[in-house]
Amino acid sequence: MRPEEEQSQCGVPVNLDASPGCEFCRQSGGEVLWRDEKCRVVLVADPDYHGFCRVIWNAHVKEMTDLARDEQQHCMRVVLSVEQVLRRVLKPHKINLASFGNMTPHLHWHVIPRFEYDAHFPQTIWGDRQRSAPPAAPAETGLQLRELLATMLARNYP
Amino acid sequence: MRPEEEQSQCGVPVNLDASPGCEFCRQSGGEVLWRDEKCRVVLVADPDYHGFCRVIWNAHVKEMTDLARDEQQHCMRVVLSVEQVLRRVLKPHKINLASFGNMTPHLHWHVIPRFEYDAHFPQTIWGDRQRSAPPAAPAETGLQLRELLATMLARNYP
């Protein structure tokens, strides 16, 4: 799929000054809940982890310390807004935050609501599976997350 | 061990308004490289991951969004200073950042320099082991990290 096609399908402007073959330069990475010119928040389609979001920097940047100071702050404000919204909507036992990029070295943050009954708790979701995944969550949760995220980011970080 | 004894042994003032049984309320969590009144940077004694640091919030707080906005910024400045120092001293292939707290719900960040030849790369260090650990690093690296971290934090965030 060419970037132009991806752009027209999901409405996310693709970074054309991108790294060839980079998944997050070519694709949105999930259902886009919110975006601005710097980054986007996507809902990850993971059947084990309902509400799992990623904050993906739009430009192909490897590490947080490759960003300017104000960009670092902007990125973390968005990450923590997602944390706040997930806590409010889903009331998880714990939030997990992580930026790895070992396989896809394009700056992105995992923001994962964790529950004591989820597939890996108390391990990380990259650890050994502990049990079956919990039942699927209500279909309207994506909509709730999208609406609250838009409200919160507009209010807190105009 | 009582908190007073821990305090006198490692020089780290222990948060006496702490959660009973919390590892990071009772213990420093590693060799303390830097500290201020809000948080500390410790070097983790992990034979597989030389240079693995943690930034541990001193007070017993569960999530980043339980902190005030200026405290969140302070915490991330310290985390990203550690990232910057690790990149300069060790020149890793990638930096991994993570805040989980599923087992120890006391706010702490893992800051991990990753190398293509390390024990788990490209998996997270919580994933399946890929190979034997690399040879131990030079003993002076801890000293280098401590000195550069103190310089950088004093310069950037006086």
Side-chain angles (χ1 to χ4, degrees):
Chain A
M1 184 186 292
R2 289 178 299 119
E4 292 78 3
E5 292 171 335
E6 169 71 15
Q7 184 168 11
S8 65
Q9 283 185 352
C10 71
V12 177
V14 170
N15 174 21
L16 295 175
D17 180 21
S19 177
C22 171
E23 178 186 344
F24 293 144
C25 286
R26 292 181 58 85
Q27 298 177 347
S28 59
E31 178 195 341
V32 179
L33 298 180
W34 180 90
R35 76 179 321 278
D36 70 0
E37 74 281 5
K38 293 291 188 187
C39 62
R40 56 191 186 266
V41 178
V42 306
L43 186 62
V44 178
D46 184 326
D48 287 348
Y49 289 98
H50 170 67
F52 182 170
C53 290
R54 285 197 189 105
V55 177
I56 304 174
W57 200 251
N58 291 333
H60 189 79
V61 167
K62 189 171 175 183
E63 306 282 10
M64 280 294 284
T65 48
D66 291 329
L67 299 182
R69 180 91 53 95
D70 63 335
E71 292 176 322
Q72 293 170 358
Q73 286 185 357
H74 182 80
C75 184
M76 290 314 297
R77 278 177 190 156
V78 176
V79 168
L80 295 181
S81 295
V82 175
E83 171 175 312
Q84 201 173 4
V85 166
L86 289 173
R87 290 181 77 182
R88 192 174 297 183
V89 174
L90 298 175
K91 299 179 176 51
H93 182 72
K94 190 71 191 70
I95 290 285
N96 287 181
L97 303 175
S99 169
F100 299 128
N102 301 332
M103 298 193 202
T104 306
H106 175 137
L107 181 61
H108 61 282
W109 282 88
H110 306 281
V111 188
I112 315 162
R114 301 298 309 276
F115 297 88
E116 286 166 300
Y117 52 79
D118 76 27
H120 296 81
F121 199 89
Q123 303 299 324
T124 76
I125 71 163
W126 297 273
D128 291 332
R129 177 179 280 265
Q130 305 295 307
R131 61 190 70 82
S132 304
E140 68 269 21
T141 309
L143 184 63
Q144 277 185 294
L145 294 176
R146 180 196 296 273
E147 286 180 351
L148 192 53
L149 198 55
T151 305
M152 195 164 289
L153 281 160
R155 185 196 306 150
N156 291 350
Y157 313 111
Chain B
M1 184 186 291
R2 289 178 300 118
E4 293 78 3
E5 290 171 337
E6 169 70 16
Q7 184 169 11
S8 66
Q9 282 185 353
C10 71
V12 177
V14 170
N15 173 22
L16 294 176
D17 181 21
S19 177
C22 171
E23 178 187 344
F24 293 145
C25 287
R26 292 181 58 86
Q27 298 177 348
S28 59
E31 178 195 342
V32 179
L33 298 179
W34 179 89
R35 78 178 320 278
D36 69 2
E37 74 282 5
K38 293 289 188 187
C39 62
R40 56 192 187 264
V41 178
V42 306
L43 186 62
V44 179
D46 185 326
D48 287 349
Y49 290 98
H50 170 68
F52 182 170
C53 291
R54 284 197 191 106
V55 177
I56 304 174
W57 199 252
N58 291 335
H60 189 78
V61 166
K62 188 171 175 183
E63 306 282 9
M64 280 294 283
T65 48
D66 291 330
L67 299 181
R69 180 92 52 95
D70 63 336
E71 292 176 323
Q72 293 170 356
Q73 286 184 357
H74 181 80
C75 184
M76 290 314 297
R77 279 178 190 156
V78 176
V79 168
L80 295 181
S81 295
V82 175
E83 170 176 312
Q84 202 173 3
V85 166
L86 288 174
R87 290 182 76 182
R88 193 175 295 184
V89 173
L90 298 175
K91 299 179 177 50
H93 182 71
K94 191 69 191 68
I95 291 285
N96 286 181
L97 303 174
S99 169
F100 299 126
N102 301 332
M103 298 192 203
T104 306
H106 175 136
L107 181 61
H108 61 283
W109 282 88
H110 307 281
V111 188
I112 314 163
R114 300 298 309 275
F115 297 89
E116 286 166 302
Y117 51 80
D118 76 28
H120 296 81
F121 200 90
Q123 303 299 323
T124 76
I125 72 164
W126 297 273
D128 291 332
R129 177 177 280 265
Q130 306 294 308
R131 62 191 69 83
S132 303
E140 68 269 21
T141 308
L143 185 62
Q144 278 184 295
L145 294 176
R146 181 196 295 272
E147 286 180 352
L148 191 54
L149 198 56
T151 305
M152 194 163 291
L153 282 160
R155 186 194 305 149
N156 290 349
Y157 313 111

